[in-house]
Structures are given as structure tokens and as C-alpha cells.
Amino acid sequence: MRGPSGPASVPGISRRRVLAGLLLLPPALAGCSIGAGAGDGPDPLIALAEAARSDAALAAAAVAASPALADRVRPLADARTAHAVALEAEVARADPDRAPVQPTTPPARPASTVTLAQVRAATVASGQAAAAAVLTLPVDRVGLVASVAACCGAYAEVLG
């Protein structure tokens, strides 16, 4: 049934209100998790920092394998290194008594075997992991991890 203004709808509920509600849902869910998981195992940002370091090393290996990729891939390597540093700093800030995060050195790969597709796949996986982590983090950490997820998504598109 169509009303005078289009398809049948529930009075008082517009598309704008539904969209606004959907946009506010992730931050609201993140806010519900405050305190959840605190002290329950390793800090999830440690794994994200390790992935960032691994992605940076993979990107550097891709540039070494194909120097023509440097303009596209070097900014990703720099960004992922900065992500690792920021995530490690947040881990230290959140728990000053924790031993400092010791950056792990990713396993060396022969540079000639690293492809742009592998770099993109790793970046996509890191972005998805960060996006999933956002829903489990306290509000004061959401911005950092969400920006990591967004950056990975943007670079995955650039590399695609």
C-alpha cells in the first residue's frame, strides 16, 4: 500500500532516523563493553601491534622485490609502523605495570616472493581484525583502533 508520500511506512520513523540509529549503534555497543575483558588475558592491542609490524615488513619486502611499487606501498609501510608504535604506547599507558611490549621481528621472506596481492591481503586482514576489536574495547581505546581499521581499509583500496 502506498501513501501520498511513497511506500507504506511507520508513522514517525523516517529513513534518516533509521540511518542515524544504525550509525550510532557501533559506538553504543562499544560503550557497553567498558570494563569488559579488563584483565582477562592479553591486551588485544598487542596482537594488533604485532600485525602492524608484520604488515610493515611485508610492504618493505614488496618494495624490495619490485621498486616500481615504492610510491604505492612505502606510505603503507610507514603508516603500519606508526600504528605499531601508537598501539604499543596505548598498551603501556593502559597498564604501566605490564612489561613493555617487545616488538617481534616477523619471519624473513625472500623479497622476490612478496607480491602486491599478499600485501593487500594482509592489510585487509589487519583492518578486519581492528574493526572486530573495536566492538570489544573500552571507549577510550575505540578511536585509536577504529582509525587503524579505517587506514587499513583505505590502503587496501589503494592497493586493489
Side-chain angles (χ1 to χ4, degrees), residues 2-74:
R2 291 180 70 90
S5 63
S9 62
V10 178
I13 298 180
S14 68
R15 266 189 279 167
R16 283 189 181 142
R17 285 186 181 178
V18 170
L19 289 174
L22 289 174
L23 289 173
L24 293 174
L25 185 61
L29 290 176
C32 292
S33 69
I34 293 176
D40 297 346
D43 190 321
L45 272 58
I46 294 172
L48 296 176
E50 288 173 356
R53 290 215 182 270
S54 178
D55 291 353
L58 190 65
V63 170
S66 180
L69 294 175
D71 288 345
R72 289 176 67 194
V73 179
R74 176 57 50 203

